[in-house]
């Protein structure tokens, strides 16, 4: 039989160490159970946004080597002009321990080395021309992989059920563009609604949809291959379907008129 304790904090009661330990462990225990079946990768947040000469990486939660880590404050990075690819990396360093804490150290940096070490996770990549400004807003689905002056988040691994998946923003762009057309295939409509209403789309679901649309067998695909396939599917839908309304995409929103 398992014992589950909930401490009472009442007047005239002695505050015991095990009561504080219970209070300390409960939130982390809940998160560990909730995300136990998920792969390593970003759980939420840690999205790079550009404001003039600064990249701000939002706070978030990441799973690394089976453990959850909270980045509780945004991280600011100053970027410079480059004529080659650079990568935004989140780096985990060796833990230390003192009498009161077990301390995990992380840092986020811009690195010219495009290969990841075992203790590093990608948050994005870009190539910036001289005299240009970097941007993190996207005009359409294809724009996520624009070669210059745009932060590419396609390769970033987000935590999924047993295996990593893509940033939901990419799938939302796909769905919003598709739904501006009169799609005849109900499976297109269902997949798009799933993309718009779910916090996470599992990798196997995306690959199954791509296999159906391309009339091929389901196969393992990289994030870049998935994005490329979705762009092609979108192009085919545009050719075969009628536009419902004119659309303007502003900050990942569609305004109908």
């Amino acid at each position: 039989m398992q014992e589950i304790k909930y401490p009472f904090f009442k007047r005239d009661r002695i505050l015991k160490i095990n009561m504080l330990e219970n209070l300390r462990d409960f939130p982390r225990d809940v998160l560990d159970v909730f995300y136990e079946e998920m792969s390593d990768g970003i759980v939420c947040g840690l999205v790079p946004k550009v404001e003039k000469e600064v990249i701000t990486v939002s706070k978030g939660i990441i799973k690394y080597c089976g453990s959850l880590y909270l980045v509780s404050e945004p991280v600011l990075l100053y970027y410079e002009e480059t004529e080659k690819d650079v990568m935004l990396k989140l780096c985990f360093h060796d833990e230390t321990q003192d009498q009161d804490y077990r301390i995990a150290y992380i840092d986020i940096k811009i690195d010219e080395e495009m290969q990841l070490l075992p203790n590093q996770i990608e948050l994005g990549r870009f190539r910036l021309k001289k005299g240009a400004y970097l941007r993190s807003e996207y005009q359409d689905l294809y724009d996520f992989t624009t070669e210059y002056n745009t932060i590419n988040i396609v390769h970033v691994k987000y935590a999924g059920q047993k295996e990593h998946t893509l940033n939901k923003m990419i799938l939302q762009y796909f769905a919003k563009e598709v739904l501006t057309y009169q799609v005849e295939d109900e499976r297109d409509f269902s997949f798009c609604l799933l993309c718009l209403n779910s916090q996470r789309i599992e990798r196997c679901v995306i690959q199954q949809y791509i296999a159906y649309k391309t009339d091929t067998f389901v196969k393992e695909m990289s994030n870049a291959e998935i994005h490329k396939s979705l762009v092609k599917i979108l192009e085919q839908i545009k050719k075969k379907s009628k536009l419902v309304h004119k659309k303007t995409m502003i900050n990942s929103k569609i305004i109908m008129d």
Side-chain angles (χ1 to χ4, degrees):
M1 182 179 294
Q2 219 176 111
E3 184 179 62
I4 302 175
K5 290 183 177 180
Y6 298 95
F8 291 121
F9 297 96
K10 294 183 177 180
R11 181 177 246 169
D12 298 327
R13 298 290 300 169
I14 296 174
L15 185 62
K16 300 176 183 177
I17 292 177
N18 60 358
M19 295 170 69
L20 294 175
E21 289 175 344
N22 182 285
L23 188 66
R24 175 202 65 191
D25 295 338
F26 182 75
R28 177 166 288 276
D29 289 344
V30 169
L31 284 174
D32 285 341
V33 171
F34 191 78
Y35 292 109
E36 183 177 9
E37 298 298 320
M38 294 186 72
S39 69
D40 282 357
I42 297 172
V43 176
C44 63
L46 294 172
V47 177
K49 294 289 184 183
V50 179
E51 294 180 6
K52 295 184 179 180
E53 293 86 15
V54 179
I55 299 173
T56 300
V57 180
S58 64
K59 55 188 176 181
I61 300 173
I62 191 165
K63 191 172 183 181
Y64 170 72
C65 291
S67 296
L68 290 169
Y69 295 87
L70 172 66
V71 180
S72 57
E73 296 293 336
V75 177
L76 273 60
L77 300 169
Y78 289 91
Y79 66 90
E80 298 177 349
E81 297 171 343
T82 67
E83 289 292 340
K84 59 181 180 179
D85 290 328
V86 295
M87 187 181 292
L88 286 168
K89 295 180 179 180
L90 188 151
C91 308
F92 289 87
H93 300 282
D94 293 338
E95 292 185 349
T96 61
Q97 188 170 335
D98 59 25
Q99 292 181 342
D100 298 315
Y101 296 99
R102 179 169 64 90
I103 306 169
Y105 293 95
I106 65 167
D107 73 275
I108 297 175
K109 64 179 182 179
I110 299 173
D111 195 347
E112 294 183 357
E113 175 56 58
M114 296 302 291
Q115 298 297 320
L116 289 169
L117 297 175
N119 69 319
Q120 296 176 336
I121 293 175
E122 179 179 350
L123 299 180
R125 59 181 68 181
F126 64 90
R127 181 186 295 184
L128 184 63
K129 285 184 176 180
K130 290 184 179 180
Y133 281 101
L134 190 63
R135 63 189 177 92
S136 55
E137 302 293 342
Y138 307 96
Q139 301 301 314
D140 51 33
L141 181 65
Y142 177 81
D143 198 29
F144 280 90
T145 53
T146 296
E147 184 177 5
Y148 286 97
N149 312 330
T150 306
I151 293 184
N152 182 339
I153 58 172
V154 167
H155 303 272
V156 180
K157 295 180 179 179
Y158 277 73
Q161 195 74 14
K162 300 295 186 181
E163 59 181 346
H164 70 269
T165 186
L166 284 74
N167 186 317
K168 66 179 181 180
M169 189 193 308
I170 297 170
L171 299 167
Q172 288 174 344
Y173 265 76
F174 171 79
K176 288 176 180 179
E177 288 198 69
V178 169
L179 292 179
T180 59
Y181 289 82
Q182 294 178 346
V183 290
E184 297 180 358
D185 193 328
E186 291 183 0
R187 278 167 283 199
D188 288 331
F189 192 71
S190 297
F191 181 72
C192 288
L193 291 184
L194 185 66
C195 291
L196 293 174
N197 289 303
S198 302
Q199 288 297 315
R200 181 181 70 253
I201 308 297
E202 300 298 345
R203 191 178 200 84
C204 61
V205 175
I206 304 169
Q207 292 176 161
Q208 183 70 56
Y209 172 74
I210 291 172
Y212 162 72
K213 292 296 294 183
T214 57
D215 196 23
T216 58
F217 293 108
V218 179
K219 62 179 181 180
E220 289 298 321
M221 307 171 73
S222 68
N223 281 19
E225 290 171 334
I226 288 175
H227 175 264
K228 186 177 181 179
S229 296
L230 291 175
V231 169
K232 288 183 177 180
I233 291 169
L234 178 59
E235 289 174 350
Q236 292 171 357
I237 291 173
K238 287 180 177 180
K239 289 178 181 178
K240 296 178 181 179
S241 306
K242 293 181 179 179
L243 189 65
V244 179
H245 296 285
K246 290 191 298 181
K247 55 146 180 139
T248 304
M249 295 194 69
I250 301 174
N251 297 336
S252 78
K253 295 181 180 178
I254 292 181
I255 300 174
M256 299 293 187
D257 56 30

